[in-house]
């Protein structure tokens, strides 16, 4: 009998008792390869000695100091480090304790910015369907996953949602990727015109969509087009890189590969690599200056923002990534993972798409490849794959509702940046068995 209010109340979870490198071990002695970094979190794997040592040092020095009284060396150093490597023009980092908090803070920062500069009429956010920005009410409101939003819809602020950039399903046969991207930008432009450009605060998007649609990479030119459109209307661009940022796609920020600089960018997960709960919003200097010239205060704050031990963990994680050349490792091992996925699933009758960037790759499952018809959601293929993968000693991150919040299944892979070639072999072998076992478990006639 448990007193923990677990995510799923009718599930008995294995108990994690040890974690080292790319593996987690449970109380029964079973070992799992962590091929998803939990939910794209554990970028350095588990038990990294440099991160543990940095946390120990910080605990002995200052474990906690409230940010309305003090700053700390470690928060200042982390902000210096992040701003130095951030997209051009970023001026400051606002620290929080996770991804949803980062998105909430970014939404409020964007709104307050316009109040500060005398444009208080701006009140609308535009975001995309099939996105995930977190589970707190503001983040859930901008998120576009129908299933996650539905029962809370009466509580959510009104947000306009436009189409995701989902080339596999939505690019027409007579369009080039660039034409498809331009069509999406036109759709956004129409949404802005309906609301009145002068009334829109920001467009919010994951640079590479993670949890809800499975490593959806933007088509060339799409985000550049979005950036230009936002600029034309004075609308802020908030890129949510909570999952895809901090090196996951092979560059520290995913938007570097798009040649686009956001006004605000949210990061979390890989920032602290799971060693501590930490997230951040990075803000353009021009926005920071508007706050300085105006009220001088961001009207926000939580008890644990800028937590010294969390900052120490994040600083150590980021320094290891730099010191050990791990962005290069993400590009190299990401290519290796993609090759192996292609070899194992490229001709699989139920894998319609293999996509992603760096060590952020996904498979989209289909009942039939030509029509791209999904499996009936009632069979919960994604949950079967997760179960079968765990039985094979493999952690992956499958999800249903890929297409529209109801239909479609995908499997997301996000292994640690330290993953080796033999680990990649084992991951893809075990995943192959898990997918085939899950498919075999479907009732007759469902395939
Ligand atoms: C893009 C994105 N934004 C926000 C969040 C929310 O982060 P957290 O679960 O740390 O609150 C997530 C979590 O998966 C995410 O993927």
């Amino acid at each position: 009998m448990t007193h923990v209010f677990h995510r799923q109340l009718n599930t008995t979870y294995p108990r994690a008792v040890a974690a080292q490198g790319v593996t987690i071990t449970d109380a029964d002695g079973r070992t799992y390869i962590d091929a998803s970094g939990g939910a794209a979190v554990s970028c350095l794997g588990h038990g990294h000695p440099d991160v543990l040592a940095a946390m120990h040092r910080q605990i002995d020095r200052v474990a906690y100091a409230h940010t309305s009284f003090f700053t700390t060396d470690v928060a200042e150093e982390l902000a210096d480090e992040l701003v130095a490597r951030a997209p051009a023009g970023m001026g400051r980092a606002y620290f929080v304790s996770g991804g949803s908090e980062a998105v909430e803070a970014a939404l409020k920062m964007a709104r307050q910015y316009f109040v500060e500069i005398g444009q208080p009429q701006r009140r609308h956010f535009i975001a995309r369907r099939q996105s995930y920005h977190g589970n707190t009410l503001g983040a859930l409101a901008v998120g576009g996953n129908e299933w996650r939003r539905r029962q809370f819809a009466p509580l959510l602020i009104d947000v306009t949602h436009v189409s995701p950039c989902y080339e596999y399903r939505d690019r027409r046969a007579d369009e080039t990727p660039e034409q498809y991207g331009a069509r999406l930008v036109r759709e956004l432009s129409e949404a802005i015109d309906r609301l009145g450009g002068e009334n829109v605060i920001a467009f919010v998007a994951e640079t590479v969509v993670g949890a809800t649609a499975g490593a959806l990479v933007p088509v060339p030119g799409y985000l550049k087009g979005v950036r230009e459109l936002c600029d034309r209307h004075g609308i802020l661009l908030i890129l949510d890189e909570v999952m895809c940022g901090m090196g996951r796609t092979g560059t520290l920020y995913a938007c570097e590969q798009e040649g686009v600089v956001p006004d605000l960018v949210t990061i979390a997960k890989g920032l602290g690599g799971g060693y501590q709960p930490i997230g951040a919003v990075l803000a353009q200097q021009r926005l920071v200056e508007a706050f300085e010239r105006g009220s001088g205060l961001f009207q926000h704050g939580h008890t644990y923002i800028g937590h010294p031990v969390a900052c120490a963990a994040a600083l150590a994680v980021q320094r290891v990534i730099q010191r050990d050349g791990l962005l290069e490792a993400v590009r190299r091992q990401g290519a290796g993972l993609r090759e192996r996925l292609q070899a194992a699933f490229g001709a699989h009758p139920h894998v319609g798409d293999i996509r992603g960037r760096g060590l952020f790759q996904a498979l989209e499952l289909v009942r039939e490849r030509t029509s791209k018809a999904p499996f009936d959601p009632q069979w919960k293929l994604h949950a079967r794959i997760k179960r079968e993968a765990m039985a094979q000693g493999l952690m992956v991150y499958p999800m249903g509702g890929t297409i529209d919040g109801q239909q479609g299944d995908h499997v997301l892979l996000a292994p640690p940046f330290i993953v080796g070639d033999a680990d990649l072999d084992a991951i893809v072998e075990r995943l192959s068995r898990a997918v085939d076992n899950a498919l075999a478990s479907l009732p007759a006639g469902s395939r």
Side-chain angles (χ1 to χ4, degrees):
M1 159 73 169
T2 179
H3 291 104
V4 176
F5 202 132
H6 287 290
R7 283 175 181 248
Q8 303 222 9
L9 300 179
N10 299 318
T11 298
T12 307
Y13 292 92
R15 236 167 243 246
V17 296
Q20 193 59 47
V22 298
T23 61
I24 296 187
T25 304
D26 74 13
D28 296 328
R30 294 174 55 81
T31 293
Y32 306 83
I33 303 178
D34 186 358
S36 56
V41 176
S42 303
C43 55
L44 291 188
H46 302 274
H48 197 291
D50 298 33
V51 185
L52 301 185
M55 285 162 55
H56 286 303
R57 279 196 303 276
Q58 188 59 46
I59 289 168
D60 289 339
R61 201 172 291 152
V62 183
Y64 176 69
H66 195 282
T67 46
S68 69
F69 297 87
F70 295 103
T71 186
T72 53
D73 287 343
V74 72
E76 297 292 337
E77 279 175 56
L78 178 61
D80 291 346
E81 179 99 9
L82 290 175
V83 166
R85 298 184 202 290
M90 290 295 173
R92 300 216 184 185
Y94 185 89
F95 294 121
V96 291
S97 303
S100 303
E101 277 189 23
V103 171
E104 295 289 336
L107 299 177
K108 288 181 69 181
M109 211 179 266
R111 162 66 191 169
Q112 193 182 327
Y113 164 72
F114 284 116
V115 175
E116 299 284 354
I117 65 167
Q119 298 184 28
Q121 83 287 352
R122 289 193 189 255
R123 49 187 288 268
H124 296 292
F125 288 101
I126 306 179
R128 300 187 299 183
R129 292 191 290 281
Q130 286 314 98
S131 58
Y132 182 58
H133 297 296
N135 266 330
T136 50
L137 292 177
L140 192 62
V142 284
N145 182 266
E146 190 42 41
W147 173 77
R148 286 171 207 249
R149 290 169 52 90
R150 195 179 314 123
Q151 67 173 322
F152 302 105
L155 310 184
L156 302 180
I157 55 166
D158 195 17
V159 171
T160 299
H161 288 97
V162 294
S163 301
C165 186
Y166 193 169
E167 187 180 6
Y168 169 64
R169 292 208 170 260
D170 294 348
R171 177 165 71 82
R172 292 195 306 253
D174 64 350
E175 280 176 324
T176 63
E178 288 77 6
Q179 287 167 336
Y180 167 52
R183 171 158 64 87
L184 293 176
V185 174
R186 282 198 300 280
E187 182 194 336
L188 176 59
S189 178
E190 284 159 19
I192 291 171
D193 290 345
R194 274 196 301 279
L195 294 166
E198 71 288 0
N199 296 321
V200 178
I201 297 173
F203 178 63
V204 187
E206 295 161 85
T207 311
V208 178
V209 182
T212 44
L216 282 187
V217 175
V219 291
Y222 162 68
L223 282 176
K224 269 202 174 134
V226 167
R227 175 74 272 184
E228 284 162 18
L229 183 60
C230 288
D231 287 345
R232 218 175 303 143
H233 294 277
I235 295 169
L236 299 183
L237 175 61
I238 302 177
L239 289 181
D240 181 354
E241 298 212 356
V242 163
M243 193 177 252
C244 64
M246 294 293 98
R248 177 61 49 206
T249 66
T251 46
L252 195 56
Y253 294 85
C255 58
E256 290 171 41
Q257 294 175 59
E258 302 306 316
V260 164
V261 173
D263 297 292
L264 297 167
V265 61
T266 54
I267 52 176
K269 298 187 185 270
L271 174 59
Y275 288 90
Q276 285 286 288
I278 183 163
V281 185
L282 270 66
Q284 282 287 327
Q285 180 61 21
R286 143 182 140 265
L287 273 65
V288 177
E289 284 167 9
F291 280 76
E292 281 170 343
R293 280 196 306 272
S295 66
L297 160 89
F298 176 32
Q299 201 176 329
H300 194 62
H302 301 285
T303 301
Y304 292 122
I305 63 175
H307 193 284
V309 184
C311 289
L315 187 58
V317 168
Q318 297 311 312
R319 285 186 173 158
V320 169
I321 290 174
Q322 291 297 322
R323 184 196 66 197
D324 295 353
L326 292 181
L327 295 180
E328 165 57 26
V330 170
R331 295 193 286 271
R332 188 183 59 247
Q333 298 306 80
L337 174 59
R338 180 58 166 265
E339 262 170 40
R340 287 166 174 84
L341 290 173
Q342 206 64 47
F345 296 104
H348 193 291
H350 296 297
V351 174
D353 195 24
I354 303 172
R355 58 181 176 244
R357 221 178 245 173
L359 282 172
F360 199 41
Q361 299 284 333
L363 306 177
E364 181 167 337
L365 295 130
V366 289
R367 189 160 50 74
E368 210 269 305
R369 275 168 70 128
T370 316
S371 65
K372 304 182 182 175
F375 284 94
D376 189 326
Q378 70 167 314
W379 305 123
K380 292 193 181 342
L381 178 59
H382 57 98
R384 289 171 193 254
I385 293 174
K386 183 170 179 184
R387 215 165 33 240
E388 292 293 341
M390 287 294 274
Q392 299 287 330
L394 179 70
M395 291 163 58
V396 291
Y397 200 53
M399 198 68 76
T402 314
I403 303 169
D404 56 5
Q406 297 294 327
Q407 308 217 58
D409 300 89
H410 67 264
V411 181
L412 186 63
L413 295 166
F417 303 173
I418 56 161
V419 71
D421 289 342
D423 301 320
L424 291 179
D425 288 340
I427 288 168
V428 175
E429 273 166 35
R430 291 181 195 193
L431 180 59
S432 286
R433 283 199 295 273
V435 167
D436 287 337
N437 290 350
L439 288 165
S441 77
L442 294 173
S446 60
R447 292 167 65 176

